Amino acid sequence: MMVWLALALAYAGLTALALGMKRHHQSLLGAKPSDARLRAFRVTGWALIALMLLCCLRLWPLGLALSLAFGLATLAGLPLIFLLPYRPRLAARLALALPLAAGVGVWVV
Amino acid sequence: MSRSASSRLFYYRLSVASRTVAAVLGGYALSAASTAALAVTLPMPRAEAVVSATVFSFLVYSGAVIWAFATHSALRAWLGIAAPTVVCVAVALLGAPS
Amino acid sequence: MKNSLRQSMAWLHTWSGLLLGWLLLAMFVTGTSAYFREEISLWMEPELHASHATPETPELAWQALNRLAPDARAWDIRLPDARAPVVELGWQPDTPEAQNEGRRRGERAIMDAATGEILTPRATRGGDFLYRFHFELYGVPRLWARWLVCVATMFMLVAIISGVITHKKIFKDFFTFRPGKGQRSWLDAHNATAVLALPFHFMITYSGLLLFMVMLMPWGIDAAYNGDRRAFFDDAFPRATETTAQSQEAAPMTDIAPLLAQTRRAFDQPVTRIEVNRPNRAGATVSISTDREPEITGRRRGSAPTLVFQANSGALLETRPGTSEALPAAVRFYNLFANLHLARFADPAVRWLFFLSGLGGCAMVATGLLLWVAKRTQQLKQRQPGASLRLVNALNMASMTGLIGAMAFYFAANRLLPVELAQRESWEIRVFFISWLLSLAHALWRPNRRGWIEQLAGITVLWLSVPLLDMATTGSHLFSATAWQHGALAGFDLACLLLGALWGYALWRVARHGGGKKGTARQPRRSPGTATGAAS
């Protein structure tokens, strides 16, 4: 279950990083962002990535955890890239829903 | 006019060919020489020095290829690869176990 | 020669990419399949599918070797694990000839883990053929093939570095994909698959070189060891030396079951391997090993937790805890990359992660090749494509749909060729290459959009029919008990269906969207992600 949480966090983190960029922010949320907002999204994004790393460290020994964290980020990033042009709203909603669902899953199981 | 254009094309192709040789063969010579030099000079146990030097060699090769195509002229490409190769060969020969 | 670093790097990236792209793609596709090499092999040997591990399996193996080779020099029993449901029995005959042939020679047999019966699977190279192809090709002298593959790998490393330099806004464009813009979309798809999986691409390329470093770069060894490679290996990658008792005096061995239980208790892991030295003689020893904890910088072989017993009395001789000894940093670095490349530590989930990353690599190379064509097609405006463009497009087709189709033919041949056919395993491989050649001929004959549509339709049908063929010939299917008893079989069928669906989706995109433009090549490869790049 923890793997899924890590994957969901990677997805959410990358989405937040995308929201921290002007071009994607506009297409995802439809509003012109202020610089402070962009920065807030970037900080959130990195924080989520850090959380994902923590999950990986709980799952695997250090070397493996770092290597697989890259793999998970890749796996989470590819759907994001191809959702952004077609279903931007869905991409943003998933970033909220997936970590919540995975978090509940970890808590329940 | 067209003659100068075609001769320029000829020199361009010659330059590409020369750089390619410098990159592929020269790059290999440089990485081989640097591996040998590092293997005998790195201040660590012998096996470790060899592994470190060999592991590093592929990055040297990439660097050499990129240098060969990135620098201004084919001559500089050759010099930039040949000079360090000579140095490394000298170091390897001096440092080699007798 | 060029104005700027970026331009010259773009030039280098484009041309080295084109020249070696086809070979790299074939390496990536077959190499990606190699993450499931054992699963593919199992699928291709249906005679083994009924086997499954039971608590009595180790003793059955013990009895089988007592029956088959009671006076061998050594025994080696590999018990079933998550990836292989059978027991592999190995033994070294105690004859002078057998000893002269070196350590690796020996007899092998496959045993049914439930019944103890010796199985004879159909002759096939299985997943090993695809695995070997990815680094030594086929029918080419091994050394030449390896050098060729390594040259391609080296240039992949150069292409990665030059690609990063070429990419203008690598972080700004990190999430950018603009569909429906022809060449621009292919470039975005190429960038996305390349940049996002960059750590994987770098790892797989660099480690591929490291695995062959002694062949490629022996000069450090030669300089530091005066060419004595054996001495280098003994220093850098020491092996445990075996102590061999030499007695010929027959003596019965103790019951194996308590020793197995003791080992299981000692390490709290199931037993995976039993090795016996001088079985059924005085002074026989038995080493019982369990799985080891995955350790990514550890050694590739050996060092599994092991108990060594005196086999006649059952006395414990030695405990090897299997914790990895402190390795030098450089060796750990090498091990890290080698283990990652080979996914040695991987549980099934991680194996899938590597497989998907491998598909990402396929997609990156394929989109790069398609981009080359798309760019030049766009420059044509309304003119007819020249011979070289048609040739490149045909080679693209053969290297993508052709290879994928050939793999399906390989799997199908495994089920359709008669089991008793002479040289059966070679025939499977011949089917693979003949179908690949036919696809090249077809691609040269119809190098345009029609060609892509026909080949995509072909591979869709082929991949979707492999599970059907499996069901028709072995009775195993996605909903059968055998398939789920060994996840590998269900996984294989499922993967065929999913990939078949993916080719079908690509076909649909090309057929529906490709018509407007000069449709030479705009069909995606191998990753659901890039499939969306097909819009034009």
Side-chain angles (χ1 to χ4, degrees):
Chain A
M1 208 60 227
M2 192 66 114
V3 185
W4 296 106
L5 180 62
L7 193 60
L9 284 171
Y11 179 83
L14 288 174
T15 313
L17 286 180
L19 282 168
M21 295 158 105
K22 214 178 213 162
R23 179 199 300 159
H24 299 298
H25 192 105
Q26 276 174 341
S27 75
L28 278 163
L29 299 180
K32 267 215 158 68
S34 67
D35 281 354
R37 251 186 95 135
L38 289 181
R39 199 170 317 120
F41 272 115
R42 282 201 293 270
V43 171
T44 316
W46 285 114
L48 288 166
I49 300 276
L51 272 180
M52 174 200 72
L53 260 178
L54 276 183
C55 287
C56 289
L57 285 171
R58 287 202 52 179
L59 278 166
W60 298 295
L62 179 70
L64 191 55
L66 291 179
S67 315
L68 294 181
F70 276 120
L72 287 176
T74 301
L75 202 60
L78 279 176
L80 174 64
I81 287 186
F82 294 101
L83 274 177
L84 281 176
Y86 293 104
R87 298 276 157 78
R89 293 293 154 104
L90 179 65
R93 282 188 199 131
L94 280 177
L96 278 178
L98 289 179
L100 278 180
V104 169
V106 168
W107 186 58
V108 170
V109 177
Chain B
M1 189 69 189
S2 86
R3 227 192 106 204
S4 89
S6 78
S7 86
R8 207 182 307 148
L9 187 65
F10 175 74
Y11 279 112
Y12 171 74
R13 287 189 174 155
L14 201 66
S15 155
V16 170
S18 162
R19 283 166 195 262
T20 309
V21 175
V24 174
L25 299 182
Y28 186 78
L30 174 57
S31 40
S34 78
T35 310
L38 285 175
V40 296
T41 51
L42 281 180
M44 39 178 102
R46 196 161 56 149
E48 217 184 324
V50 170
V51 176
S52 306
T54 313
V55 152
F56 186 61
S57 68
F58 302 108
L59 302 179
V60 173
Y61 192 89
S62 319
V65 173
I66 284 170
W67 166 260
F69 287 95
T71 190
H72 301 303
S73 69
L75 184 67
R76 278 172 61 101
W78 275 104
L79 280 177
I81 288 172
T85 307
V86 170
V87 173
C88 286
V89 168
V91 170
L93 288 178
L94 288 176
S98 44
Chain C
M1 75 177 131
K2 292 285 167 118
N3 304 332
S4 70
L5 173 69
R6 181 165 289 146
Q7 272 175 312
S8 53
M9 285 301 104
W11 184 92
L12 178 62
H13 186 88
T14 305
W15 292 100
S16 63
L18 180 72
L19 213 59
L20 294 159
W22 297 300
L23 179 58
L24 281 171
L25 186 59
M27 286 157 60
F28 256 109
V29 171
T30 51
T32 301
S33 84
Y35 282 125
F36 289 116
R37 161 185 168 200
E38 288 183 26
E39 285 77 5
I40 293 175
S41 291
L42 176 63
W43 188 90
M44 292 177 81
E45 291 173 333
E47 292 78 7
L48 311 185
H49 291 180
S51 169
H52 58 93
T54 71
E56 286 76 43
T57 299
E59 279 157 85
L60 286 173
W62 191 255
Q63 289 159 13
L65 275 173
N66 264 317
R67 209 166 55 234
L68 288 167
D71 45 11
R73 200 162 63 91
W75 290 350
D76 184 2
I77 302 172
R78 285 162 191 273
L79 294 168
D81 57 24
R83 300 183 70 193
V86 291
V87 180
E88 264 183 64
L89 304 173
W91 66 93
Q92 303 250 336
D94 196 17
T95 54
E97 307 88 74
Q99 313 228 352
N100 287 339
E101 281 178 55
R103 311 156 40 108
R104 287 167 67 189
R105 294 269 168 231
E107 304 290 323
R108 311 219 131 260
I110 305 283
M111 191 194 87
D112 187 306
T115 65
E117 191 190 338
I118 299 301
L119 300 170
T120 41
R122 59 187 63 191
T124 177
R125 296 285 311 281
D128 286 0
F129 163 65
L130 298 170
Y131 161 74
R132 293 237 154 234
F133 184 86
H134 106 275
F135 64 94
E136 44 195 40
L137 310 177
Y138 188 80
V140 189
R142 183 174 285 181
L143 196 65
W144 284 85
R146 288 185 172 189
W147 268 99
L148 182 63
V149 162
C150 286
V151 166
T153 312
M154 190 64 235
F155 275 82
M156 165 110 181
L157 190 60
V158 171
I160 287 176
I161 298 173
S162 59
V164 170
I165 300 175
T166 307
H167 195 353
K168 285 187 197 118
K169 298 174 279 185
I170 195 159
F171 291 112
K172 227 173 161 189
D173 275 350
F174 201 82
F175 298 109
T176 305
F177 175 64
R178 284 154 289 189
K181 296 218 170 75
Q183 182 201 337
R184 182 75 241 182
S185 306
W186 283 117
L187 181 60
D188 282 344
H190 185 57
N191 286 343
T193 46
V195 174
L196 212 59
L198 194 63
F200 175 80
H201 300 321
F202 177 78
M203 178 281 286
I204 209 74
T205 312
Y206 184 55
S207 56
L209 292 167
L210 291 190
L211 287 170
F212 287 115
M213 69 181 186
V214 176
M215 178 189 89
L216 294 170
M217 212 36 89
W219 312 110
I221 303 171
D222 288 0
Y225 284 86
N226 282 326
D228 185 357
R229 294 190 190 168
R230 178 60 61 82
F232 163 72
F233 282 119
D234 290 344
D235 266 9
F237 307 100
R239 280 165 186 263
T241 44
E242 295 157 27
T243 47
T244 41
Q246 290 301 327
S247 167
Q248 284 294 356
E249 184 196 334
M253 291 194 287
T254 178
D255 185 13
I256 186 76
L259 307 186
L260 291 167
Q262 191 178 340
T263 313
R264 217 165 18 235
R265 270 200 314 277
F267 302 115
D268 199 22
Q269 290 270 5
V271 170
T272 53
R273 191 170 181 184
I274 307 169
E275 288 164 286
V276 187
N277 233 315
R278 316 297 295 181
N280 295 317
R281 295 181 193 63
T285 56
V286 51
S287 322
I288 306 180
S289 312
T290 66
D291 259 336
R292 62 173 166 159
E293 289 290 308
E295 223 262 295
I296 199 166
T297 56
R299 287 198 299 170
R300 283 162 59 193
R301 292 195 187 80
S303 75
T306 303
L307 291 188
V308 185
F309 297 95
Q310 211 292 335
N312 310 106
S313 66
L316 180 63
L317 294 178
E318 192 190 340
T319 304
R320 297 183 197 143
T323 46
S324 52
E325 62 279 52
L327 294 169
V331 175
R332 294 180 77 90
F333 182 86
Y334 171 85
N335 286 346
L336 170 73
F337 277 93
N339 287 336
L340 279 174
H341 190 110
L342 303 162
R344 284 212 174 250
F345 47 81
D347 56 45
V350 173
R351 200 163 281 285
W352 276 103
L353 182 64
F354 273 79
F355 179 76
L356 290 173
S357 303
L359 290 189
C362 300
M364 174 191 66
V365 181
T367 48
L369 286 168
L370 293 173
L371 172 63
W372 194 95
V373 171
K375 190 169 177 179
R376 278 147 195 85
T377 307
Q378 209 141 350
Q379 286 164 355
L380 283 175
K381 306 280 183 331
Q382 294 303 318
R383 281 174 292 135
Q384 280 299 307
S388 58
L389 190 55
R390 287 167 63 96
L391 180 68
V392 169
N393 200 28
L395 286 170
N396 276 355
M397 211 188 298
S399 70
M400 294 173 203
T401 45
L403 173 57
I404 289 162
M407 285 171 76
F409 270 112
Y410 179 62
F411 298 143
N414 176 263
R415 287 293 191 265
L416 292 178
L417 290 176
V419 172
E420 62 283 356
L421 181 69
Q423 291 188 306
R424 193 177 178 289
E425 70 270 40
S426 305
W427 273 109
E428 285 182 6
I429 292 170
R430 276 173 213 154
V431 167
F432 176 87
F433 283 110
I434 290 169
S435 65
W436 201 359
L437 274 178
L438 285 178
S439 99
L440 176 64
H442 174 264
L444 289 168
W445 173 43
R446 323 193 64 163
N448 285 319
R449 189 162 158 268
R450 292 295 326 160
W452 279 108
I453 290 181
E454 284 158 12
Q455 294 218 356
L456 278 170
I459 61 172
T460 307
V461 172
L462 276 169
W463 279 79
L464 291 178
S465 55
V466 167
L468 295 178
L469 197 59
D470 182 28
M471 192 165 86
T473 50
T474 68
S476 159
H477 56 84
L478 210 44
F479 304 102
S480 63
T482 353
W484 287 100
Q485 190 168 34
H486 312 305
L489 302 178
F492 188 99
D493 281 2
L494 207 59
C496 284
L497 292 175
L498 284 175
L499 288 171
L502 183 60
W503 317 141
Y505 178 69
L507 170 67
W508 178 68
R509 297 292 300 215
V510 179
R512 206 185 68 157
H513 295 273
K517 289 231 173 135
K518 186 60 100 280
T520 35
R522 53 174 53 81
Q523 127 293 353
R525 185 73 304 107
R526 279 245 138 181
S527 133
T530 48
T532 48
S536 72

